[in-house]
């Protein structure tokens, strides 16, 4: 009887130990599978990108270090510290979501646009660096950071196409006495090169016409760009995408004052001159070559200028003979303002009015004029050298 009890006791111990072993093995298997599943989930590119952002502190050797060296470097333009603080504040307190950018992703490079509370935040590119198979069914990839590009939250996509290094390149041309700002912070333009101000391009060869400053940029972030004129007013930026690259031209809209007005009004009667030009455009001047010589003298057109070439081309073209037959005209809504004295020998004034023409068989037709007239002083005399259409400005 005792022997039977000893056998049952031994069996129970072995059985209990076996159960403990099975439970332990199952637990180990569970945690291993769970670990593999977590690793697999974290290895998904979008989750990897979000993880990079969640750990992108200054001491991080991945995204954090990249941001410090490229996007928030102390030597960068504007106010890098402010941009950095704004970035980390958004990173810490916003809901981040990553969406694959199919236009930039290719092969082993995965590019993700990350939004913060549904606003553009950062574009992150990662590159597959390895892969391992786990549990015989899961391929778990590893990645390394390729680049990051800090986005402008106010626009849905970067201003220009990103390079393979995650940068945008562009230039800005502005008058020397205007102020360039990135995200509200002043950008030092003293190292810029000479550039032609777009509004003055047609007559920039004249010595008194001011030249501008051209700044070339290659950035790892998309700045909010503003330009302020000589009196602190923001001016429009015109983007020119050409073979020369992406170039912003600041409108040469200078501020004026009463002293400038007093000086510029001595140049001549801008309204009368431009009304004569308008009559020339509708073939209402009369005389040789449809009044060309009267217009050249009455409008004080600079000899040898592009404007003189335009006037001669119109006077001698077949087009002037096709001006609609009309039997009368008058002017209304006349105005001259914004007198600008750029320097002692270069000035401008803005002229606007409506010319109402009575067209035979049609009735009254209105032509609106809104132009900036530019004048250069040469050998003591002021001459009209060019104009700028201000419609829509």
């Amino acid at each position: 009887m005792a022997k039977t009890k000893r056998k049952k006791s031994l069996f129970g111990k072995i059985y209990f130990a076996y159960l403990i072993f099975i439970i332990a093995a199952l637990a180990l298997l569970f945690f291993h599978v769970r670990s593999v599943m977590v690793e697999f989930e974290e290895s998904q590119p979008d989750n990897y990108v979000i993880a990079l952002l969640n750990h992108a502190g200054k001491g991080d050797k991945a995204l954090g270090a990249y941001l410090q060296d490229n996007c928030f470097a102390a030597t960068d333009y504007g106010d890098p510290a402010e941009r950095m603080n704004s970035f980390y504040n958004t990173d810490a307190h916003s809901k981040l979501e990553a969406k694959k950018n199919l236009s930039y992703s290719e092969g082993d490079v995965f590019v993700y646009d990350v939004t913060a509370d549904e606003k553009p935040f950062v574009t992150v590119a990662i590159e597959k660096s390895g892969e391992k198979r786990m549990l015989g069914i899961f391929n778990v990839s590893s990645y390394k950071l390729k680049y990051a590009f800090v986005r402008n939250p106010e626009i849905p996509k970067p201003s220009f196409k990103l390079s393979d290094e995650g940068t945008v390149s562009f230039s800005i041309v502005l008058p020397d006495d205007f102020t360039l700002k990135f995200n509200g912070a002043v950008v030092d333009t003293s190292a810029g090169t000479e550039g032609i101000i777009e509004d003055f391009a047609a007559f920039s060869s004249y010595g008194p016409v001011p030249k501008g400053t051209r700044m070339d940029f290659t950035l790892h972030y998309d700045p909010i760009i503003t330009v302020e004129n000589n009196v602190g007013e923001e001016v429009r930026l015109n983007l020119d995408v050409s073979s020369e690259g992406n170039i912003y031209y600041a409108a040469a809209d200078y501020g004026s004052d009463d002293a400038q007005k007093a000086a510029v009004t001595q140049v001549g009667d801008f309204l009368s001159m431009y009304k004569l030009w308008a009559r020339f455009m509708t073939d209402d001047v009369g005389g040789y070559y449809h009044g060309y010589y009267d217009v050249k003298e009455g409008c004080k057109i600079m000899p040898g200028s592009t404007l003189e070439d335009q006037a001669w081309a119109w006077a001698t073209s077949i087009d002037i003979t096709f001006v609609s037959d009309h039997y009368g005209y008058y002017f209304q809504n006349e105005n001259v303002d914004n007198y600008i004295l750029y320097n002692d020998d270069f000035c401008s004034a803005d002229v606007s009015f409506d010319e109402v023409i009575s067209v035979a068989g049609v009735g009254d037709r209105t032509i609106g004029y809104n132009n900036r007239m530019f004048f250069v002083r040469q050998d003591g005399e002021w001459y009209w050298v060019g104009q700028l259409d201000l419609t829509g400005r």
Side-chain angles (χ1 to χ4, degrees), residues 2-70:
K3 186 176 182 179
T4 302
K5 287 182 178 180
R6 285 197 301 271
K7 287 182 178 180
K8 287 182 177 180
S9 176
L10 180 60
F11 175 78
K13 290 179 179 179
I14 294 174
Y15 180 73
F16 181 74
Y18 182 68
L19 287 177
I20 295 297
F21 173 78
I22 291 176
I23 292 172
L26 289 174
L28 288 173
L29 179 62
F30 169 78
F31 285 111
H32 176 65
V33 172
R34 182 177 179 274
S35 175
V36 170
M37 294 302 296
V38 169
E39 187 175 353
F40 175 75
E41 185 67 21
E42 292 177 346
S43 73
Q44 299 306 299
D46 53 342
N47 292 331
Y48 180 82
V49 167
I50 296 298
L52 281 176
L53 286 163
N54 289 336
H55 300 89
K58 297 180 182 179
D60 171 47
K61 294 183 179 180
L63 182 55
Y66 184 93
L67 292 171
Q68 293 301 313
D69 293 340
N70 297 280

Side-chain angles (χ1 to χ4, degrees), residues 266-321:
Q266 302 303 310
V267 173
D269 187 343
F270 300 98
L271 183 61
S272 294
M273 283 188 277
Y274 210 89
K275 286 164 70 173
L276 176 60
W277 178 266
R279 289 170 50 212
F280 179 48
M281 292 296 102
T282 54
D283 196 19
D284 283 312
V285 177
Y288 290 110
Y289 292 104
H290 305 275
Y292 165 75
Y293 293 105
D294 291 335
V295 171
K296 180 179 176 180
E297 181 178 354
C299 291
K300 297 185 176 181
I301 295 176
M302 174 72 81
S305 65
T306 301
L307 190 62
E308 183 186 50
D309 293 339
Q310 292 174 351
W312 178 250
W314 173 244
T316 56
S317 71
I318 190 66
D319 295 335
I320 198 170
T321 64

